[in-house]
Amino acid sequence: MTESIYTFSEDFDVSPAVQADFDKNGYIIVRSLLDPEEIKLLKDALESDEGIIRHAFGRDDGEGGKSRMVLWNQPGNDITGVMARCEKVAGTMEKLLGGEVYHYHTKLMMKDARTGGAFVWHQDYGYWYENGCIFPDMATVFIALDPATQENGCLKVLKGSQRLGRIDHVRVGDQVGADMTRVADVQKFLPLVHVELAPGDALFFHSNLLHRSEQNHSDRRRWAFLVAYNRASNNPVMEHHHPRYTPMTKVANSVIKTCTTPIDPEEKDIWDPVSRPSVPQQNLDKKRGK
């Protein structure tokens, strides 16, 4: 089996080998985490619900491109919330992080055909450190809704870069990115991996793993569903635009296919970056004298 790559089955578990790969490389890929029926249910809910899509906002990549996203803080009881709380997603994350986790936020990332922007090199903890999260006991699962290839701007990661610790981050366009001088040095030591995924494949990755994606110049969109988790023991020490510790009730995987609860934008606490700018944005703007 290729290092850090696994295929989901009903008996999939975070074995010592899986844990060792995550700890060494900063990520694992689980092929077919969601089956075709589950992906269709999720895509149908997201694509048909104007209550979610209408909250999308764009991010300038500093390179002439822009990607859209919607971010919400509360999972809710609809299929997107069930997906975030099911055993094969949330349960797997609890095992990888070594303890109880809670839902930090969910994002729908929309990198559209020909216009989708890049995301600069960064670590998620480069942002979340500023939110009062003392330890990097945090991680994200990236679930492909569409094929993610090098042509349409799949994720790229620097394998093992989570072991570097947090790198300084600076403002790049509308984004916050890692210090590129440092990243250039890191690239001399660590291998670059293109994370190509089929719909339903998932990347579980540590909050200190360096990652980026290129602009989408292809004629195929690249949408993805991302759920970020924080260890319950890592309750942020300050109020910010994401939740502090909130107990999360996990559900069985079977609930995904039986969930009929419609998406209710009001219960999801959808983030508006204009009315509630993020702490990292505010802090970097202060440093720049804005």
Side-chain angles (χ1 to χ4, degrees):
M1 180 175 292
T2 304
E3 189 177 60
S4 270
I5 300 178
Y6 299 87
T7 299
F8 183 77
S9 65
E10 288 307 317
D11 60 355
F12 174 80
D13 197 10
V14 178
S15 65
V18 173
Q19 187 69 57
D21 275 350
F22 183 78
D23 292 343
K24 176 184 177 185
N25 301 319
Y27 70 91
I28 60 167
I29 294 169
V30 182
R31 304 289 188 198
S32 302
L33 182 71
L34 302 186
D35 67 30
E37 181 182 353
E38 291 167 334
I39 277 290
K40 184 178 187 305
L41 289 169
L42 181 58
K43 288 176 69 173
D44 286 350
L46 291 169
E47 292 172 348
S48 66
D49 189 83
E50 290 300 318
I52 288 289
I53 301 299
R54 68 185 174 89
H55 291 279
F57 59 91
R59 282 295 196 208
D60 176 7
D61 62 6
E63 302 171 11
K66 181 175 289 189
S67 286
R68 297 183 298 140
M69 74 173 76
V70 187
L71 185 153
W72 55 94
N73 286 318
Q74 301 301 329
N77 295 305
D78 59 85
I79 189 168
T80 67
V82 166
M83 202 72 75
R85 295 187 289 113
C86 71
E87 285 290 348
K88 63 182 175 181
V89 179
T92 297
M93 191 63 82
E94 286 194 326
K95 293 173 182 176
L96 290 171
L97 288 179
E100 179 190 356
V101 301
Y102 73 95
H103 177 268
Y104 197 48
H105 57 73
T106 296
K107 288 188 290 191
L108 172 63
M109 301 291 296
M110 296 171 281
K111 183 173 288 199
D112 295 318
R114 299 189 181 91
T115 61
F119 284 89
V120 298
W121 282 111
H122 67 280
Q123 300 164 307
D124 290 342
Y125 190 60
Y127 312 152
W128 300 339
Y129 170 92
E130 302 282 355
N131 294 340
C133 301
I134 300 301
F135 298 97
D137 296 337
M138 313 173 78
T140 297
V141 57
F142 176 113
I143 301 174
L145 299 177
D146 303 315
T149 65
Q150 293 185 50
E151 289 70 30
N152 68 358
C154 69
L155 278 187
K156 301 193 293 189
V157 305
L158 290 179
K159 192 174 185 177
S161 56
Q162 84 288 351
R163 291 178 284 138
L164 299 167
R166 185 181 67 89
I167 293 173
D168 286 340
H169 281 58
V170 298
R171 194 70 177 263
V172 181
D174 285 340
Q175 301 179 36
V176 179
D179 175 8
M180 278 309 302
T181 300
R182 188 71 168 183
V183 172
D185 288 335
V186 170
Q187 288 178 298
K188 300 172 185 176
F189 293 87
L190 297 176
L192 174 69
V193 176
H194 291 87
V195 183
E196 295 191 297
L197 304 172
D201 290 351
L203 172 75
F204 291 79
F205 65 99
H206 189 274
S207 62
N208 267 334
L209 185 74
L210 278 164
H211 57 289
R212 73 159 289 155
S213 64
E214 304 297 340
Q215 293 181 344
N216 182 5
H217 297 295
S218 79
D219 59 1
R220 292 178 295 110
R221 73 175 200 183
R222 196 221 73 185
W223 284 24
F225 181 80
L226 290 80
V227 188
Y229 299 90
N230 188 16
R231 274 277 299 269
S233 59
N234 193 35
N235 193 24
V237 297
M238 60 184 283
E239 296 289 345
H240 57 287
H241 60 296
H242 297 316
R244 300 181 75 193
Y245 172 64
T246 308
M248 180 182 67
T249 302
K250 297 196 298 295
V251 298
N253 297 331
S254 60
V255 177
I256 297 172
K257 294 181 180 180
T258 60
C259 179
T260 58
T261 304
I263 293 176
D264 179 1
E266 295 302 318
E267 75 169 358
K268 301 186 86 64
D269 185 19
I270 296 174
W271 180 51
D272 177 359
V274 176
S275 63
R276 285 192 294 170
S278 71
V279 176
Q281 288 173 324
Q282 294 179 69
N283 288 347
L284 283 173
D285 284 344
K286 287 177 184 177
K287 291 177 183 177
R288 296 170 67 191
K290 292 185 68 175

